[in-house]
Amino acid sequence: MDFVGEILVIVVVFLMGFVAVLRWNEVRYRKKGLPPGTMGWPVLGETAVFFKQGPSFMQNRKDRYGNIFKTHILGCPTVISMNPDLNSYILLNEKKGLVPGYPQSMLDILGKSNVAAVHGPLHKVMRNAFLSILNPTIMRENVFPKIDTFMSSHLSNWSGKIIDLQENTKEMAFLSSLNLVVSEGKSLKSEVFMQEFYALVSGVLSLPINLPGTSYRKGFKARNAILDLLQEIVDKRRDSPNKHDDLLAHILKLENLSDEQIIDLIITISYSGFETVSTTTMMCAKYISDNPTALQQLSKEHIGIREKKKSPDDPLTWEDFKSMHFTKAVIYETMRLATVVNGLFRKTTQDLELNGFMVPKGWRIYLYIRENNYTDSFFENPLAFNPWRWLENNKEHQKYFMQFGAGCRLCPGQEYGIAEISAFLYYLVTRYRWKEVAGNTMLSFPRVRAPTGLQIQVWDC
Ligand code: HEM
């Protein structure tokens, strides 16, 4: 056989090998009653194509198999549901064996007491702890004034500068919650802390492959560094006679929480409000500058609040925040149109029948909620930025708006997050005018992000 012939034989053998492995992987998941779909490669499944194609991966499979199908992503056999009513049912029925099913990477990196990952009695303990430290009185008297002071200072001296809103809002979300949770945050090498935190965030949704250079390995290392920093703060606090006025002081008053649970709670607060808040804030600024009528109405609301104050520099009050109805509508509409949260993960604790399909025990379910936001029977003219729709009395579409989740997992940081974004927008709109600099492009999946940043040129009002 000549050289070309040998190469051909090798290629054919390889191709046959690939096909055999793919086929074997399909056959081993062929159980009666499972939804239709494909499983891809052993271990890797269809993760790469899922991330690469995002919404079109979903649409292709929906066209081929219907709105419930199986696949293998992020290291697990997974059923994807694009059925809005089934998604609501799953979120409202955790007790029927539909518990959170976030990928292993998230549990390893955010900790095994992370509220969003645990279920049963531990979930109750951690969620109650969370709700008690962000209760309405603490929110009004302690948290909101701090958010306001932080935002007022964060948005000072922007005039004449080019600001990268993506970087800036990330920094804002991280520092704002660090400042609130541990008041030592600022003096505590916050730059080092921030870099470790960014590495932790990138590892949270990754394949759990612990090899040098993987996001998972970097995220895990960052977790350990953050654990050391936080443990040092907790130890010092316990030995300190000084009084502190931050969320950690409230957390340390809670009974029956171990140090590990306290630290996981701090990481959860910082993580949960990081990407959601920073992305929503960045996209709010983008949408209002693209929609002059919305910007005009927002300015009117904010200037109205400022004009009622003795001095324009007086801080925002809780009552001011509560009166910002149009601001809240802008935030909701931004979350809908940009789809800050694409989907939620659940896991079955027993074999379950869902919509006529069998989902085996231990499988993941990915509730793909993105599509609801662009369905015209839920949101008329869904591709238009229309904050006014949230001021109407139509509650029907709100049932399908799941950006804050639903049921016993409904986001407990919702008001805190909206307060941060509202205060940011207030100082942006009342102090500055801005214009996007050319060359900004946006990607929408798996995260909303501007690969080269979102630059704006800023002037004083
Ligand atoms: C615009 C901002 C935000 C969005 C879009 C958002 C979205 C969500 C969603 C969709 C869930 C449900 C997850 C699930 O069912 O698996 C959730 C849960 C959660 N969120 Fe938020 N969130 C935001 C802000 C925040 C903030 C600022 C915090 C912290 C202060 C926070 C803390 C949490 C926690 C701890 C949970 C888990 C609750 C549980 O499992 O009981 N979130 N969030």
Side-chain angles (χ1 to χ4, degrees):
M1 202 184 304
D2 62 7
F3 179 67
V4 177
E6 280 175 15
I7 297 281
L8 263 178
V9 170
I10 292 171
V11 169
V12 170
V13 168
F14 260 114
L15 282 178
M16 285 169 64
F18 279 146
V19 173
V21 171
L22 275 175
R23 182 107 197 97
W24 166 76
N25 204 35
E26 295 303 334
V27 170
R28 77 193 178 110
Y29 286 112
R30 198 172 286 163
K31 284 197 193 111
K32 221 173 136 215
L34 273 173
T38 48
M39 305 304 277
W41 297 99
V43 186
L44 301 175
E46 300 187 306
T47 309
V49 62
F50 166 77
F51 280 126
K52 191 164 169 239
Q53 296 177 357
S56 52
F57 171 93
M58 302 294 182
Q59 193 55 50
N60 292 342
R61 275 149 184 83
K62 184 179 174 190
D63 293 346
R64 218 176 318 159
Y65 305 118
N67 61 13
I68 303 171
F69 54 87
K70 68 172 187 287
T71 179
H72 194 292
I73 49 170
L74 289 161
C76 266
T78 303
V79 167
I80 294 189
S81 164
M82 294 174 71
N83 179 321
D85 292 315
L86 178 61
N87 290 348
S88 290
Y89 172 85
I90 292 174
L91 292 179
L92 297 176
N93 285 283
E94 179 156 334
K95 286 204 173 118
K96 293 192 176 154
L98 291 155
V99 301
Y102 287 93
Q104 190 57 39
S105 50
M106 187 166 174
L107 301 188
D108 295 343
I109 292 173
L110 294 186
K112 46 183 196 308
S113 302
N114 155 28
V115 194
V118 293
H119 57 95
L122 183 56
H123 175 242
K124 213 168 163 192
V125 170
M126 298 307 291
R127 189 171 166 100
N128 284 344
F130 189 102
L131 291 172
S132 72
I133 56 163
L134 279 179
N135 71 38
T137 315
I138 297 181
M139 273 297 295
R140 190 179 61 241
E141 287 168 11
N142 186 296
V143 171
F144 188 75
K146 284 192 178 145
I147 292 179
D148 176 68
T149 310
F150 175 86
M151 293 304 168
S152 176
S153 139
H154 185 78
L155 280 102
S156 57
N157 302 322
W158 280 24
S159 187
K161 294 187 182 153
I162 292 193
I163 303 279
D164 179 350
L165 270 183
Q166 180 165 256
E167 274 314 301
N168 186 283
T169 52
K170 272 190 190 174
E171 210 177 284
M172 169 279 278
F174 171 74
L175 292 177
S176 159
S177 71
L178 183 66
N179 169 52
L180 194 75
V181 181
V182 277
S183 46
E184 299 94 328
K186 264 194 207 144
S187 53
L188 241 159
K189 311 168 220 157
S190 63
E191 200 39 53
V192 180
F193 211 149
M194 191 153 77
Q195 290 318 318
E196 296 292 3
F197 184 75
Y198 286 3
L200 174 142
V201 171
S202 324
V204 168
L205 280 186
S206 62
L207 269 179
I209 299 175
N210 196 356
L211 288 176
T214 59
S215 304
Y216 176 78
R217 163 83 67 108
K218 289 184 199 157
F220 198 67
K221 273 177 72 183
R223 172 179 168 82
N224 287 334
I226 290 174
L227 284 187
D228 290 345
L229 280 167
L230 292 177
Q231 187 67 58
E232 202 182 305
I233 300 177
V234 170
D235 291 343
K236 276 196 188 145
R237 269 306 169 88
R238 287 222 162 94
D239 296 338
S240 160
N242 301 337
K243 269 189 115 185
H244 290 267
D245 177 31
D246 55 16
L247 290 187
L248 180 58
H250 291 287
I251 297 175
L252 289 174
K253 279 189 217 143
L254 298 173
E255 283 169 8
N256 302 330
L257 285 193
S258 66
D259 274 12
E260 193 189 347
Q261 289 172 333
I262 289 174
I263 290 176
D264 282 354
L265 192 59
I266 299 176
I267 295 181
T268 304
I269 296 176
S270 311
Y271 171 82
S272 315
F274 173 67
E275 215 172 344
T276 48
V277 168
S278 59
T279 309
T280 308
T281 312
M282 169 180 82
M283 292 309 292
C284 278
K286 179 166 176 52
Y287 287 146
I288 53 172
S289 50
D290 291 347
N291 291 274
T293 322
L295 176 57
Q296 204 178 21
Q297 183 152 344
L298 193 68
S299 303
K300 200 170 152 205
E301 180 164 280
H302 290 169
I303 289 167
I305 289 172
R306 199 182 54 180
E307 279 173 350
K308 283 196 205 124
K309 298 191 176 297
K310 283 199 191 107
S311 146
D313 294 329
D314 280 355
L316 281 172
T317 63
W318 180 251
E319 289 66 33
D320 294 332
F321 163 60
K322 284 293 182 187
S323 72
M324 292 183 182
H325 303 297
F326 190 69
T327 312
K328 194 167 174 185
V330 165
I331 297 171
Y332 269 59
E333 183 65 351
T334 298
M335 288 166 62
R336 182 194 71 79
L337 192 58
T339 301
V340 176
V341 179
N342 284 294
L344 305 169
F345 281 99
R346 292 294 182 266
K347 185 174 70 184
T348 50
T349 58
Q350 61 200 55
D351 288 355
L352 278 180
E353 201 197 297
L354 293 173
N355 275 33
F357 293 114
M358 212 278 289
V359 185
K361 177 180 173 183
W363 274 45
R364 291 245 163 75
I365 307 179
Y366 183 56
L367 315 177
Y368 187 62
I369 57 172
R370 180 186 179 87
E371 221 191 24
N372 293 7
N373 294 343
Y374 310 112
T375 301
D376 49 14
S377 52
F378 303 156
F379 299 100
E380 204 184 317
N381 195 3
L383 297 181
F385 179 76
N386 174 9
W388 294 272
R389 70 172 91 238
W390 297 97
L391 301 176
E392 290 162 10
N393 255 342
N394 173 7
K395 297 272 178 251
E396 185 52 20
H397 64 238
Q398 298 183 12
K399 189 174 128 198
Y400 294 103
F401 179 73
M402 295 181 184
Q403 290 295 292
F404 285 112
C408 68
R409 302 269 164 187
L410 184 70
C411 176
Q414 180 170 350
E415 186 142 61
Y416 168 93
I418 291 180
E420 283 182 307
I421 304 167
S422 302
F424 182 100
L425 291 176
Y426 173 81
Y427 289 109
L428 179 69
V429 165
T430 51
R431 288 182 181 166
Y432 305 112
R433 291 285 161 265
W434 70 96
K435 185 176 91 178
E436 253 187 57
V437 171
N440 293 321
T441 46
M442 300 297 304
L443 297 179
S444 62
F445 193 91
R447 298 181 152 107
V448 179
R449 68 188 180 93
T452 54
L454 185 68
Q455 332 282 337
I456 53 166
Q457 167 78 57
V458 185
W459 304 270
D460 272 337
C461 269

